[in-house]
Structure formats: structure tokens, C-alpha cells
Amino acid sequence: MSDPHTYPTRAAAMEAADDEPLSPVAGDTIGDVIARRYSRRDIMKGALGVTAATALFGPAALAASKAEAASVGDRFSFDEVAAGANEYHHVAEGYDAKVLLSWGDPVCADVQDKPFDPRTLTAEEQEYRFGYNNDYIAYFPIDGSSEHGLLCINHEYTNEELMFPGLGRDQSDSNFRETTKEIANIEMAAVGVTVVEVRKVNDKWEVVHGDRNRRITLNTEMTIDGDAAGTARMKTREDSTGKRVFGTFSNCAGGKTPWGTYLTAEENIHGGFWTEELDANFKPDVDHDGKYKASYKRYRIPTRWQSWGKYHKRFNFDEEENEPNRFGWIVEIDPEERESVPVKHTALGRFFHEGAETTLSNDGRAVVFSGDDAQNEYVYRFVSRDHYIKGNKAHNATLLEHGTLSVAQFSSEGTGKWIPLKYGEGKLAKACSAGKFENQADVLIDARLAADEVGATKMDRPEDVQPNEETRRVYVMLTNNTKRNAGTVDAANPRPNNKFGHIIEMIPDGGDFGADTFTWNILVRCGDPTKMELGAYWNAATTEDSWFVSPDNATVDPEGRLWIATDQGKYWQQTGRADGLFALETEGIRRGTPRMFFRVPMGAELCGPCFTPDGKTLFLSVQHPGADGVDGYANFKGPSVFENPATRWPDFDPKMPPRPSVMVITHPDGKEIG
């Protein structure tokens, strides 16, 4: 397990933990599959021939010459941003990029007239202000408008060293002695979700401080449904029903349902649970000797990277072992009903959800895709039991309560299938008979363990899984996997020590997102294409500025074009370029050609790209500016803390630390983005 004391901040340690596989050694990785399909030697050398490359990466367009690709007009018309890194953001020439919301800005009218001052911030006040580390964004039109709507925005975690004066770096090695109860409560109020009304007035987007706005935090009451609801493992001292829980955190990516609700995904929930049982180095030293030993180990609980459990018993694993089972789910929120109670849907499984991208099958059932964001974890899909009925909101609100959770298995022949995770059935029958799972609730709570049993394919850290309703294809973002070695490469994860990631394209049979089988290929292998030893693979038209690494979030614009957001974490200095947003061609002779549209300030990641229905506005999240990997930056003498941050983006005010922010991008001539 990652020792938090070898990393500059708690957030960096939590990020590194995702790079440590917890799945069992046995079973095919995506690298094993690729290796059986192609020569392992050729894959490692990055020297696939044209025939093999065409089979692996899709249409022969990828083998086209640079002149051929350049001679064909692409679907994007902007001049790309130059790669690099500095304190500022950069957008394609001709576009306007404005800050719409930053951490601490008023969301609710309660604090609208009170200036934000992080030095005097209280937990009560934070409940009404924009949260920290904004991530996924979804836009919900009001009366069908592309200029007036509701934004739902995730807040993933906090960077205490940049939020609070005098706190400095990670406090966990000193028992969080500087992290007071008030600071812990502020952090608990700064995560979760923001629902906010926005409107375009005189060609400028602004926040509307009306009664539609809402903060959802760790203090918000929620319900739990599905097969795990009400079972013994979901009950706590504070909730004897097992159907009520307060709050959501580690909200990474998400989704938007066809019936107009918001799905937020709980990801790295292990970091929230405290223990007093530590070794000499202040690392968790809990002896899991009970019935659910394998479960706690597989989900890395407890970790003690938050001080919450020091002050709140429900986050103290020594006091309440079941509370972790109530997190790691997909949460549904109705943005139109301010008083509505969010619902955690256990039918969609418990793991470190990156997102919950949602669409419909050909026969009208809800389909939700999600990646488990850690190395050697799996790609999942949920298909509802019941069918969507247009205009019937009450019925559609029940669709995610019942259905089939499946996990992906990729074959070396370029085909794949979804394996159902049903208690006592199929490939799970033997494990259930052996007592590893007692009921469907166990299968859902321990979805990772169930996926291990059925032979799912271990992936190179699967993040967003994005369906494209125009092309009827699904794109899987695989960020990296430095723990994969030459003996475990396979067809779908072809590189050992995969530092830079790749993107898989899944083609469901019959163009049906609900089909149980699919074919697949690799769209791109990320990294610098001029360094053959990296095994990167792009279209020949790819420029020096346009290649990228660590694909994370993805979205499809109203024209059906794919956009990729990247997250290198602390490793961005290996490439010398900050993260950003890239347009990526997926069809024709220019397939596999990227183009950089937006670049974040150093130490930040780009999250949650979201278009309005008319394609004329793009919302982006810039998360943790000045945090990741900045200590070694040539123009900065660290460490990066509240008093001395690597950048003071976006305010550049000496009295204000860097603030995670949502940006809004438009073209002054009213043109569509891209």
C-alpha cells in the first residue's frame, strides 16, 4: 500500500494508491489478451506491421501517410493550442474562456452578499458556497434553452494545504494535529455536488442566485435502494434500517439520464475512513480477521487519509465497520426538484466508480457504463430490468433500482462479452456455493470480488466509458498501468509499464448498447509518437503539440465528435506539458488524429467537459491548480501551500490561494465550439 509519507500531500498519496493493483494475480489482464492476438515482441517494440495494426487499431486510416491524412479536411476547424506548462490557462485562438464559478463563490442566496475569505470560512458558510475540486459537469436546459439551464457539478476532494492558511502539508503523520474539527467540517461541506442555475445575458454567462440552487454535501440525507438496501451489511448504529445515509463524497465523474436526472459517481471512498490502529509510521495496521476480511482488503479500507473519523464516529472504522459499505455507489439527483432526496442505487454495484454515462438500449432499457478507476480493475455495465417511458418521470425514477450488473471480458480475437454478476448464476454459481457470497447484496457490495470470480479482463486503469449515440460505439479511457509487466500484456492492454494509457473502442453487436456481445479495437495508444520505445500509435497527421497522455474524462459533442480530457497527476513533468482538452477524430482517414483545444495551468487537471445542446457553449472544470507535481517545476521553489502556491490562478490576487474553477468557453461570433 502507498505510504502517504512518501508523497508531498495526502491527495497525491490517494492518487498513487490507484496505481497499486488489488485484484488477484490470476486471470487475464487486457495485456494477456493483446499478447495472444499479436506478437508480444512486436507489441513491446511498437513495431506492428500495417496488417496487424489495422486489425488492432481499427480502419486502415491509421496507417495512412501524413500527406494522405493532411489532404483530407477534418471535422475540427480550430488552430490547436501549443503544448507546454505555466501558471495560466490557454484556449484555442479566437475563443473566449471565462471563469464562471470558483471555490468559495456564493451558490445560495444565504451568502450572496458576503465576500469570500478562506481565512474566516466556516463549515456552515461552506454549505452555501461552491465546493472544492470541481469535476464532472452536466447541463440541464430550462425550457429547452441552450442559454438558460441548470449545471450539476461534482466536488471530488480537498487539498487542505492550499485551502487553509498555516496548515502546510499533509497532517496525517502527526495525527492531524493542525486539522481542527472546524477544518474537518469545512472539508465535509466542500465535497459532494453543486446544482446551480446559469443564464447567458448580453452574450455573457452568469450565475443566477435563485431558489433552484442547491449544495449536496456529506450532511445531506439520502436513501438507498436495490438489493443491498436494508441488509445487515448496510445497517449502522445510526441507521438501523440500512436504507438511509448522510452524504456523498469522492464524486468524480458522472452521467445524465434520458429522463433528466443527474448521476454522480463515488470513487475513492477508501480515503475517508479513520482508524486508531497504526504502525510506527502512522500507517493503518488493522488486522482484518472477520468474515469480510477479503472485502475490506479489496477496497483498501481503512486508509486514514482524512481526519473526519477523528471527530465523527461514522467515519471511524474502529467504531463503525459497516459505514464504508454505504459509499462507493452511483447517486441519482433530480436537479429540478430542490427538495428531492438523492438516491444511492446499489443495483449498479459498489466499486471506485469513475463515471456513470447513461443511454438506452434498442428496446428502451436504461444502460449505464462505468469504469473502476484503479490499475488492473474492470469495466462494468448496468442494464435496467424495466423500460424507459418517455414523459413518465415517476416510472423512470425507478429504472436504476432493478437490473443486471455485468463486467466486460475482452478476447484476443477482437470480440468481447458482458458477464452478468448474478448471485448463484453462471460463472458466479461456484463461488456462491462455496459461501463467498450469501446473496445478491454481497455480490453488489463486493462487485470487485464478484468480477474477480467470473474472469473479467483486468484493464489499465479504466476511467470514463463514453457511449456515442450517433456512431453507436463506446469509448473506454484507460489512463495508465505502470504495474503491468511483459508477462501480463494482452490484446486490450498491449504495453508493459504503460505510463501513458490508451483508448479502446467497443462496437456493440447490432449497434445495441444493451447487447451482451461486442467487437473491439484500440483507437490510439498515447504518448510521444517520436519515441518508438514507448509504443505510441496515432494517425500520421498528429502534430508535435497534439499528442496526449493519460486520457481520463470524455464527452461527445452535439455533432457526435469525441473530446478527451487528460489527467497526468504528478507525472506531467515527464512529458513537459500540462493537461488539457483534446478533440479526437474517430472516423475516416483522419481517425486517431488529436488536436489540443484547451490547456490548464500547471498542477491542475482538466475534468468534466460539457456542451450545451446547440454546441455553442462548452463548460470545463479546472481542478486542483498548483497542486500536482509542481515541487520540481523550474520556475517555482516549493512546497506549494496556501502562503506560497505554485500559481494563484484564476484570481492572481496575493491575498487569495489558487481556486478550482468552472470555465465557460464561447466564440465571440456565436459559432459552434470546434
Side-chain angles (χ1 to χ4, degrees), residues 91-268:
V91 69
E93 185 177 354
Y95 289 88
D96 291 329
K98 306 293 185 184
V99 174
L100 178 68
L101 271 168
S102 298
W103 168 54
D105 285 351
V107 169
C108 303
D110 309 64
V111 295
Q112 182 178 354
D113 298 324
K114 184 176 181 180
F116 173 62
D117 184 349
R119 295 166 182 81
T120 61
L121 180 66
T122 66
E124 181 182 8
E125 190 180 334
Q126 179 63 75
E127 289 278 347
Y128 301 108
R129 293 188 179 277
F130 193 62
Y132 205 79
N133 276 343
N134 38 275
D135 200 298
Y136 186 84
I137 304 172
Y139 177 86
F140 294 85
I142 294 176
D143 297 328
S145 176
S146 288
E147 297 187 350
H148 184 204
L150 296 173
L151 289 182
C152 290
I153 306 161
N154 282 351
H155 300 287
E156 188 174 5
Y157 62 93
T158 56
N159 289 87
E160 71 286 346
E161 76 281 5
L162 293 170
M163 292 176 69
F164 303 109
L167 194 60
R169 288 299 181 90
D170 186 19
Q171 299 291 306
S172 60
D173 61 349
S174 56
N175 201 36
F176 292 90
R177 66 171 181 265
E178 304 294 336
T179 309
T180 64
K181 184 175 182 179
E182 180 65 11
I183 287 176
N185 289 344
I186 291 172
E187 291 181 307
M188 291 172 67
V191 296
V193 173
T194 290
V195 180
V196 61
E197 182 180 357
V198 294
R199 184 194 295 270
K200 192 175 184 182
V201 180
N202 297 325
D203 294 325
K204 180 182 178 181
W205 283 90
E206 60 185 35
V207 172
V208 179
H209 293 97
D211 57 9
R212 287 187 168 107
N213 296 356
R214 180 184 187 187
R215 282 299 321 285
I216 296 168
T217 71
L218 268 172
N219 302 310
T220 304
E221 188 171 6
M222 304 182 175
T223 62
I224 304 169
D225 71 10
D227 286 297
T231 59
R233 295 180 67 186
M234 299 293 281
K235 295 178 180 179
T236 65
R237 292 181 178 89
E238 294 183 1
D239 172 34
S240 61
T241 71
K243 295 182 179 181
R244 309 289 288 186
V245 64
F246 280 94
T248 181
F249 73 100
S250 284
N251 304 87
C252 194
K256 180 179 177 182
T257 69
W259 51 96
T261 58
Y262 180 66
L263 301 182
T264 181
E266 297 178 334
E267 191 192 44
N268 290 311

Side-chain angles (χ1 to χ4, degrees), residues 319-335:
E319 298 281 345
E320 184 53 79
E321 290 190 357
N322 277 355
E323 189 71 10
N325 297 336
R326 294 145 65 86
F327 293 88
W329 305 102
I330 297 298
V331 186
E332 184 172 16
I333 299 166
D334 185 347

Side-chain angles (χ1 to χ4, degrees), residues 21-67:
L22 290 178
S23 57
V25 175
D28 279 351
T29 66
I30 196 67
D32 298 326
V33 180
I34 290 177
R36 286 199 299 269
R37 191 175 179 191
Y38 307 101
S39 160
R40 185 177 272 121
R41 178 172 176 269
D42 283 346
I43 290 169
M44 292 175 63
K45 290 174 61 180
L48 287 172
V50 172
T51 302
T54 299
L56 182 58
F57 295 95
L62 282 178
S65 71
K66 186 172 184 177

